[in-house]
Amino acid sequence: MKPSFQTTLSENEMQKLHGASLTILEDVGMQIEHPRARGMLEDAGARVDNPRNIVKFPVDMVAASLAKIPKKLCLAGRDPEYDLNLSYDSPFATRCATGLTAILDSRTATCRDATVQDQQDLATLVDALENIDMAGPLTLHDVPAKTADLHATRVLLQGQRKHFMNLTMGSRNMRYQIEMQLAIRGSREEMKKRPLFHPIACLISPLYIPEDDIEIMMIAGEYGLPLKIPVMPMLGASAPVTLSGLLALGNAEVLGAFTVLQTLCPGNPTLYYMVPALMDMRTGSSVYAGPENNLLYTAIIQMARSFYKVPSDTTAFFCDGILLEQTIFQKGCLLQNAAMSGANIISGAGNVDGGMAFSPLQLVVDNEITGFIKRLLSGFDLSDNTLALECIKRVGPKGNFLTDRHTLENFRSQALFSPSIFSYQNFSTWQQEGKLFSERAIDAVRNIRADHKAPPLEDHVVRELGRIVKTADAEIAGS
C-alpha cells in the first residue's frame, strides 16, 4: 500500500503561486550576462533588453520549456546496482552534503579545514552506508584552490561506487571533470546513458544567472549530462520577507532557469531544486531547520510533484548548530516531512552548522534516520498471508501466537526495523553495555573506516585520472 503524500497548498493556491511566478518572469525578467544565450533566448521568443542584460519570458515560452523537461532521468553509479532511476513519483533517494569547507570533530566540538583524506573518508562511508544513495565533494584545502574540485572528483570516482552531484570551480574545470568521467565510461554515449555525476549551474537570487554558469549549462547540454540549477532565496534578504513572497520568487527562478536551460539545451534532464533559507530579523542569522522551513519544503515538493510533474531535489538534511541532541531532532523533522511530502532526492546528509561543516558521526546518524523513514513509507502488505486470518482462527482467544507455524514462517520477512546506533534497549540492558549514543556513532564510523573499501578501478583508469588532475593543476593552477 503506497502512502498518501501530505500537502499544504490547494489546487487554487498552486495555480495562484504559478501565476505570480509567471508575472515575475514576464514583467521583471532575469539578468543574464551571456550575449550568445540572450540572442538564443530572443530568437525563441523572449523580450531582451541588451543594454541592461535583462531577459523577460512570455508565458507560452515558459510553458513550452516545461514540456521539454524529461519526466525520467538516470543518475548512475559505477555499477548498475547503484543506479537511481528517478521520476516525479519515484521513491526518495538521499544525497550526501556537498561543498562543505570544514570537518567537525563532534567529540571535541572543533572544526578544521577539509582535506583530501577527509574526502576519501567520506567516500568510504557513503560507499558502505546502505541508506545514503549519492555522494558529494567537499571543499578541499590541501590542494591548489583553483583545482580543488578536480581533486575531489578524482577521489569520488576512485573511492566509492555511487552517483554524486559534482561541484565545479567553473566551466574550464568542468571539462576536466567530464574527461575523468569519460576515462571510466569509455565513450560519450555510455556517459550520457549512465552518467556517474551531474553538475550544477548557479542562479543567484534574486533573478540573476552569471555568464560562466550559462557556459556550464551549455557544456552539460553538449554531453547530455543531467544538470541542476540551485535556487536559494533567503527570506528578507534575497527574497521578500513573507513566506509566500519567497515562494513566488523562488518558483519564478526555478521556472526561469528551466526556460533558459531548455532553450539552450532542449530536452536536457534537470530537477526542480529550491533551497529556501530564512533570516532571523532579530539577530541577522540564517535559519535552515525551523518549522517554517518544513512548511516551505512541503509547498516546494508539492509544486514539483503535483503541479509541474518533474523530479525534485530537496536539501532537507539541513540543521542549525552542531550538537547531536539538536541536529538529530531537526534532521528527523525535516527528513520525515520531505519524505511524507513526496520528495525524490533528499540532500545534505552529514552536514552540520547550517551546511558549513561535515561530520562523519552525523552522516552515520543520518543514515539511520533515513532507514527509519524508509520503513515508515513502506506501508502495509495486505496480502492473505499477512492478514493471517487462518493463523488467528488456529490460535483463538487467550492463545499464543509465538508457537504458531505462521510466526515461524514469517518472522524474518516481517522483522522490525533494526537500528544499529539508536537502541531499543531498556535501562538495565543498556547499563550492561554502558555506551552513550555518541559513542555508538563513533564506533560505527571507526568500523567502516577499518573494514570497508570500495572495489578499485582498473590500474590504467587510475593512472589516467591522476594524469588529468596533474595536467589541470599545471594549466589552471600553475602548480
Side-chain angles (χ1 to χ4, degrees), residues 29-65:
M30 304 180 75
Q31 184 174 345
I32 297 175
E33 295 184 346
H34 193 292
R36 185 159 65 96
R38 289 199 305 274
M40 295 172 69
L41 292 164
E42 187 170 28
D43 290 344
R47 292 183 289 118
V48 177
D49 180 348
N50 280 306
R52 298 172 55 225
N53 299 333
I54 296 296
V55 179
K56 297 181 179 180
F57 303 96
V59 171
D60 58 351
M61 185 179 180
V62 177
S65 296

Side-chain angles (χ1 to χ4, degrees), residues 50-109:
N50 280 306
R52 298 172 55 225
N53 299 333
I54 296 296
V55 179
K56 297 181 179 180
F57 303 96
V59 171
D60 58 351
M61 185 179 180
V62 177
S65 296
L66 281 167
K68 296 175 186 175
I69 299 173
K71 301 302 181 184
K72 298 181 179 180
L73 71 159
C74 175
L75 303 179
R78 189 196 300 176
D79 306 317
E81 66 180 294
Y82 297 107
D83 287 2
L84 300 173
N85 294 297
L86 297 181
S87 63
Y88 73 91
D89 57 354
S90 61
F92 81 90
T94 57
R95 174 172 61 78
C96 184
T98 58
L100 307 184
T101 63
I103 302 298
L104 173 71
D105 186 333
S106 297
R107 293 166 293 181
T108 60

Side-chain angles (χ1 to χ4, degrees), residues 103-110 112 322 324 359-361 438-439 441-443 445-446 449:
I103 302 298
L104 173 71
D105 186 333
S106 297
R107 293 166 293 181
T108 60
T110 58
R112 58 172 174 77
I322 62 169
L324 278 174
S359 166
L361 268 63
S438 59
E439 293 173 322
I442 290 168
D443 285 348
V445 172
R446 183 185 296 119
R449 285 173 173 167

Side-chain angles (χ1 to χ4, degrees), residues 171-235:
S171 58
R172 187 179 180 189
N173 291 46
M174 183 177 171
R175 291 197 179 275
Y176 284 102
Q177 292 172 327
I178 290 173
E179 189 178 351
M180 281 191 271
Q181 185 169 175
L182 283 169
I184 296 174
R185 280 293 182 240
S187 70
R188 291 175 64 149
E189 292 74 21
E190 283 300 310
M191 184 176 71
K192 182 176 180 179
K193 185 167 65 175
R194 294 186 55 244
L196 288 163
F197 62 73
H198 64 281
I200 68 168
C202 291
L203 182 151
I204 299 175
S205 296
L207 300 163
Y208 169 59
I209 305 178
E211 182 173 10
D212 197 56
D213 289 278
I214 295 289
E215 284 292 325
I216 289 171
M217 289 187 195
M218 291 179 168
I219 295 171
E222 178 185 343
Y223 289 92
L225 290 178
L227 178 83
K228 280 202 302 242
I229 305 169
V231 170
M232 304 181 71
M234 177 173 282
L235 191 84

